[in-house]
Amino acid sequence: MEEVRVVVADDNVQLRDMVCEYLDEQSGIAVVGAAENGVEALKMVEEKEPDVLVCDMIMPQMDGYGVLERLQAMKLSKRPGVIALTALGRDDFISRAINLGVNYYMVKPFDFMMLAQRVYEAAGESLRAEAVGVRMIQETTAKTGTESLEERIANLFLTVGIPAHIKGYQFLREAVQMVIENPELMGRITKELYPGIAHRFGTTASKVERAIRHAIEVAWNRGRIEALDEAFGRNVCSLEDKPTNGEFIALVADRLSIEKRSAS
């Protein structure tokens, strides 16, 4: 299998060098270019034809958003997958990047191992992404020898495109765990499930509901229906048929409950 070719663009020299060095050390990844601004990044994309562009959003001459806009307008024989690296974690910044075609949005400071996994996934190397995921699970569960429910939920959410840094991710994870433990909560979402999550996180039930809805919208806006179908083992729905909060929570909880029973 060919190596995943990567261009890294970041005006922070130290961070850029660290990212390049780490990715180059990973099996199946080759860093073919390093840029310090958006203009250089676009030139390298044209010349090197990378599979993935790892791009900072705040850079001189042309920022990451400008790079994304130009990439959409350029007539490239192969458009690279894009991973945005940034200190900007606001929802409007994230939504703008996603609408411009970003595959993954990672807020600094980020985990380098997770970045490598995102590189494999953004390149469409599903087998390699799975291999990295297996190694991560092995490292994080070496003491127990099993993957925890929380880790399984996290892996599933990342697969379908729900970023870990948004509030809806945490609320969804909590909701799924609560429903697996007590399936009857699906019939009392507004009266017990949302208020229960809100109490644990020190917020309100309405904010929990809105944040979960936003997390699902993020996944659907990315259009990763094939990943959803693969994750859930069937055609869950189409881009035009986005599930409600309750439907999505029930779908994930049911999937993980089946896996749990099969493993026991």
Side-chain angles (χ1 to χ4, degrees):
M1 186 178 295
E2 295 183 358
E3 290 182 317
V4 177
R5 295 166 55 83
V6 180
V7 165
V8 178
D10 198 308
D11 62 322
N12 184 320
V13 178
Q14 183 178 10
L15 178 60
R16 185 175 70 240
D17 289 346
M18 289 173 61
V19 170
C20 290
E21 182 179 355
Y22 181 84
L23 292 179
D24 249 343
E25 291 175 349
Q26 307 309 303
S27 174
I29 296 180
V31 176
V32 296
E36 64 180 15
N37 58 61
V39 175
E40 284 188 4
L42 287 172
K43 183 178 180 181
M44 288 186 179
V45 167
E46 285 188 297
E47 294 177 352
K48 305 294 185 178
E49 297 186 341
D51 301 297
V52 178
L53 170 64
V54 177
C55 186
D56 185 21
M57 289 290 98
I58 305 300
M59 295 184 292
Q61 297 190 39
M62 181 186 295
D63 63 17
Y65 295 105
V67 171
L68 293 172
E69 291 170 351
R70 290 286 299 276
L71 281 176
Q72 288 189 332
M74 292 167 67
K75 296 181 179 180
L76 299 172
S77 58
K78 179 180 66 175
R79 186 184 184 281
V82 181
I83 299 173
L85 302 181
T86 181
L88 305 175
R90 278 174 36 183
D91 287 350
D92 54 341
F93 291 136
I94 298 171
S95 297
R96 183 185 176 193
I98 291 172
N99 290 335
L100 287 172
V102 160
N103 296 76
Y104 296 102
Y105 192 101
M106 301 183 70
V107 177
K108 299 175 181 179
F110 53 87
D111 182 275
F112 276 61
M113 185 181 293
M114 186 62 70
L115 173 62
Q117 181 177 352
R118 293 290 167 264
V119 167
Y120 290 124
E121 293 175 350
E125 299 284 352
S126 59
L127 292 178
R128 290 193 179 278
E130 181 179 345
V132 173
V134 169
R135 288 200 297 273
M136 291 177 66
I137 291 168
Q138 288 173 340
E139 292 177 9
T140 56
T141 62
K143 293 183 179 180
T144 62
T146 58
E147 184 182 8
S148 70
L149 176 61
E150 186 171 333
E151 289 164 344
R152 184 68 188 98
I153 294 172
N155 288 334
L156 188 57
F157 284 177
L158 291 172
T159 297
V160 302
I162 300 176
H165 63 273
I166 63 175
K167 291 181 179 179
Y169 173 96
Q170 296 178 327
F171 296 159
L172 262 175
R173 184 178 61 187
E174 189 73 17
V176 171
Q177 289 178 308
M178 291 172 68
V179 169
I180 289 176
E181 294 172 1
N182 183 9
E184 293 183 1
L185 285 174
M186 283 308 307
R188 302 192 293 270
I189 292 180
T190 57
K191 291 184 177 180
E192 292 189 30
L193 186 61
Y194 291 159
I197 297 171
H199 177 73
R200 297 187 187 190
F201 286 89
T203 185
T204 65
S206 61
K207 288 183 178 179
V208 169
E209 187 274 334
R210 287 197 299 271
I212 289 177
R213 183 169 66 243
H214 174 255
I216 296 172
E217 287 174 352
V218 168
W220 247 249
N221 288 339
R222 289 183 172 183
R224 300 181 63 191
I225 297 301
E226 291 183 0
L228 286 163
D229 292 342
E230 183 177 352
F232 293 114
R234 59 182 184 277
N235 294 330
V236 293
C237 41
S238 66
L239 278 173
E240 296 75 27
D241 186 25
K242 182 177 62 183
T244 64
N245 288 7
E247 289 171 341
F248 188 82
I249 292 169
L251 187 68
V252 176
D254 180 59
R255 173 69 176 178
L256 295 177
S257 294
I258 291 173
E259 291 182 357
K260 184 178 179 180
R261 287 195 297 270
S262 299
S264 62

